[in-house]
Amino acid sequence: MDNINGQLARLKREIVMAACAAGEGHIASAFSILDILWVLYRQVLCLDPGNPAAPDRDRFILSKGHGALALYAILSERGFFSKEELKTFSAFDSRLGGHPDSTKVPGVEASTGSLGHGLPMGVGMALGMRIQRRAGRVFVLVGDGECNEGSIWEAALLAAHHKLNRLTCIVDSNRSTDRALRVDDLSEKFRAFGWIATVVDGHDHQTVDTAARAFDKECPSAIIARTIKGKGCSMMENNPAWHHRVPTPEELPAILQEFS
């Protein structure tokens, strides 16, 4: 576990430094989902970085596209592109924009950022894969605030109607939306729409792994992952001011020290 924690700390340093070099980025949102992506890409998803378009691969969609730095860090760690390229985040000629682009970045399945669109795309992928008799599963990670979008629940109804049991929606439930509009018990909401739903600690790798591997015979699955926005950085944790900002030169040393 210490080795895993060390690797995650290194990835957080890489995320911070990439954001600082770009002068922008949603660092706290990236830290919120990093543990979930680590588990998916290291333990759950069937993917080949050498053949990212393999027909029977699993698919992952980061619907909350502003958390792209976490996805880029994980993709570079898995070998979809180099660590050097990660440093180009948001540069003028970089493939790695503020939101992921499936036409440019290896391993990115859908261009996202307009909230509420990732789950509908995931439903289409899961239905298409069933028609084509593909073996893979589809995972979509959405934000809890994103669950205020009507398109999420329209997609949830359609997925349940077609019994897309190889579709899993993971909700990054960091409660950052509560100041604007509470979404309350999302597990009960998904169950009311015909899904099975579990609630896990989104920073506990074992429980995330167990929940992600499980799926029902007939129903799509929802995982409500309770997380902390800015996880691991005392300056950022649950602090709305860090939604979209980068450390100042004065703040940076103390932040990096936490991940040393």
Side-chain angles (χ1 to χ4, degrees):
M1 181 59 71
D2 287 342
N3 184 47
I4 292 175
N5 289 336
Q7 292 178 66
L8 286 167
R10 174 175 51 77
L11 290 179
K12 289 182 176 180
R13 289 198 301 271
E14 292 174 1
I15 287 170
V16 170
M17 295 307 297
C20 286
E24 64 173 329
H26 292 81
I27 300 172
S29 296
F31 287 1
S32 182
I33 63 176
L34 188 62
D35 287 300
I36 297 169
L37 298 188
W38 173 273
V39 171
L40 290 178
Y41 278 86
R42 295 297 293 259
Q43 300 170 202
V44 178
L45 296 175
C46 180
L47 296 168
D48 179 4
N51 184 19
D56 289 324
R57 71 190 182 280
D58 291 334
R59 270 78 166 173
F60 172 78
I61 298 173
L62 179 65
S63 189
K64 53 174 294 178
H66 58 281
L69 270 168
L71 180 59
Y72 296 155
I74 292 292
L75 290 176
S76 66
E77 186 77 3
R78 281 295 314 274
F80 284 88
F81 52 83
S82 72
K83 288 289 185 180
E84 286 302 308
E85 185 167 2
L86 180 62
K87 299 176 183 177
T88 72
F89 170 71
S90 276
F92 176 75
D93 57 350
S94 175
R95 297 190 293 181
L96 309 181
H99 295 84
D101 187 333
S102 63
T103 69
K104 296 179 180 179
V105 186
V108 171
E109 296 286 353
S111 300
T112 56
S114 183
L115 297 179
H117 290 183
L119 187 57
M121 287 190 280
V123 170
M125 285 184 184
L127 187 56
M129 291 166 68
R130 172 186 288 175
I131 292 169
Q132 296 172 11
R133 298 185 180 180
R134 300 296 185 191
R137 296 177 63 191
V138 179
F139 292 83
V140 182
L141 194 154
V142 306
D144 53 358
E146 188 175 1
C147 291
N148 288 314
E149 300 281 358
S151 53
I152 293 290
W153 302 107
E154 292 171 16
L157 281 173
L158 190 63
H161 174 77
H162 287 288
K163 300 181 179 180
L164 299 179
N165 67 315
R166 300 187 72 80
L167 171 67
T168 298
C169 179
I170 304 173
V171 181
D172 175 32
S173 182
N174 60 28
R175 307 303 297 268
S176 63
T177 189
D178 284 1
R179 295 179 305 134
L181 182 64
R182 293 176 60 91
V183 294
D184 295 322
D185 192 335
L186 283 168
S187 62
E188 287 301 314
K189 285 182 168 65
F190 273 98
R191 291 186 190 110
F193 276 69
W195 293 49
I196 62 167
T198 57
V199 180
V200 303
D201 178 345
H203 302 297
D204 183 304
H205 292 191
Q206 184 57 57
T207 57
V208 172
D209 178 88
T210 300
R213 291 181 186 276
F215 59 94
D216 191 76
K217 291 182 178 180
E218 294 189 339
C219 302
S221 304
I223 301 170
I224 314 304
R226 292 175 175 164
T227 60
I228 298 171
K229 192 165 185 175
K231 171 68 175 178
C233 178
S234 57
M235 199 178 298
M236 297 182 191
E237 284 193 1
N238 294 322
N239 184 347
W242 281 95
H243 178 70
H244 186 232
R245 60 161 291 201
V246 298
T248 65
E250 294 73 26
E251 294 167 333
L252 182 59
I255 290 173
L256 294 179
Q257 179 63 35
E258 293 193 78
F259 305 125
S260 61

